[in-house]
Each structure stands twice: as C-alpha cells, then as structure tokens.
Amino acid sequence: MTYAAYLRIYEPVAAFHEPDRSRWAAYAASSARPGRRDSLAAEQAEALYRAIAAPHIVVPDQESEHAYVRRVDGVAYICPWQTRLRCLLSYGRMLSTAGSALPGAVPARDDREMMMALARLADEEPPGPATRLHILASVWTVPLAWFVPFAATERWLALGPGAMRPSAPQTASATRALLYTTPMSRARKRAARGLAALRGLPRGFAGATWDPARAGTELAEVGRWLEDFHPYSLVELDYGGLVQLLSDDALSSDQSAAEIAAAIDGVAKGERELAVAMYKRAHSRWRAFAEYEMAN
C-alpha cells in the first residue's frame, strides 16, 4: 500500500539463529540486494505485482528473501520483509472482520492452505522467531502510540535532492522521507514510562478527544511487541508513503513525537491542560489523514 507508515525492528545479525544468521550476513554484504534507499519502492512493486496478477496473489507461496538493512558502528542490523507472514496475518484479520472470504476472491485450494497455515500460527505459543513480525504497517495514518518510543531529537527529515542533511543516514525513500530511529533500550523505557503514566491517570483527566484507556491499551500492545526482540535491536518509525500526502512545509513542521512526549510528561506531572492540548494537536493532525481513506 502506497499511503502507509511502518514501524520496524532491526535485529543485529548475531541475534538470528542458524541458518538464518549466515544467510542474513551474506545478504547484508551482497551488492545484488535492493539498496537501502530503494527497498521500500521494491517492496511496494512486489505488492503491486501480486495485486495485478491474474489470478491475484493474496499470499505468496514462499517467504520473501529480502530485508531492510542498517549498519551502525560496523554492525549489520536486519529487518526481514516477511512478506508471506504479513500477507497471511492480514488475510486472517480480514476473515475475522468479514466473517469469511469474499466469494471467488481466493481459489478454494489456496483458501484451504491459508486456513491451515493460520491454524498452525495460532497453535504456536509463544510465537517463535519465524512468526514474530518485524514490521507493522498502518494505512493512511500513524497510530499515536507509535510515537511514544521516540524522542524529538531522533527525528530525521529528507525533503529531496539538495535538501538532506549531509551527515544523515540513507533512508527508505529515494527522495522525501521522515524517520525516527532509536535503540531498543530507549524505546522500551519510554513505552513503559508512558504506560505507567496513562495507568495512573486520575478521574476527569481525559479530554474530549482522549480516551486514556484506549491509549493505554494501544501503547501496551506496542510495548509487548518490543519485548519480543533482541535488546540491542534498533526501532524505526518510517512515514513511508504518507510523505506523499504532506507538503515540504507540513513535513518540516511535523513534530508529532515531541507533542506526544509532551502529553506524556503532562500526564506524569499532573498538568492536565498541557497533556490534553498536546495530545489533541497530534490527534487532530493524524485524524485528518485517516479520513482520506473515506474520501471519494
């Protein structure tokens, strides 16, 4: 999906078990893999091919061999695409929402195979390394809970050729991008602090657009997800295709992580007006983008 944002986990190559460890080490060193700037476009091109194929491919037969790669201080970090797993889980969510697949949408044989694969995933408790999603996607908007693990100073913006910071890392976009990246240890601490603050809210603290119970539930889900990965991993929030909906001025002025951090600080200090005002500012911005999905 073009208009989607992504929350990614990059684990150090050493965190993977064999044979994946050797495979990802070789992949990171290969010049044939999609470059860091081109990876998002390559992944979306694969998704487009599956959508226009006849018959269209709901879930690939094989898992993707590709990954996003980062290098920090000489260490290679890997975020597998996990295309088959992500498509399979999306298919399962569609079934849980609709009750059944649309008639003719999936060949009967493929539908049976996917149902069996979903059953195997459901039986695996806790999830093993092969079934842990390294990438979460959100269409048309960024969930506000996704900003909690990051600080405003970890924001990196590229507005296109000639506008990038000269010392900045390569991005997942060939031209424009907005990213936040932080070590796992910081992400976990910020999520835990935010959750503790939300759970300690006194009655009457919430504003008209703020449901603390729902916000706490969403943040708890993010926190549990972070705990599934290696403690020396990297966490990345990528605005992905959503940058196409934003002007350069809007991208430059976007300070959503700072606003959510200020809201959490306000909650922790009992400063209700500050907390609600900061939350409402971020909420209004991203609610407007979420409404694009319903636009004609």
Side-chain angles (χ1 to χ4, degrees), residues 176-218:
R176 303 168 77 242
L178 199 161
L179 303 171
Y180 290 88
T181 307
T182 194
M184 177 63 79
S185 58
R186 294 179 188 173
R188 288 177 178 174
K189 287 178 182 178
R190 290 165 183 157
R193 178 177 179 270
L195 188 58
L198 289 172
R199 287 175 172 171
L201 272 175
R203 291 187 178 183
F205 198 99
T209 60
W210 194 356
D211 180 351
R214 179 178 178 180
T217 298
E218 293 172 350

Side-chain angles (χ1 to χ4, degrees), residues 253-264 278-279 281-283 285:
S253 62
D254 184 300
Q255 293 291 338
S256 297
E259 292 161 0
I260 294 301
I264 294 296
M278 290 295 99
Y279 182 88
R281 183 182 297 180
H283 178 269
R285 177 185 303 113

Side-chain angles (χ1 to χ4, degrees), residues 9-12 15 77 182-185 229-235:
I9 301 293
Y10 292 76
E11 292 191 283
Y77 294 82
T182 194
M184 177 63 79
S185 58
F229 298 93
H230 194 278
Y232 293 146
S233 299
L234 302 176
V235 187

Side-chain angles (χ1 to χ4, degrees), residues 124-128 131:
E124 187 169 347
E125 186 65 35
T131 59

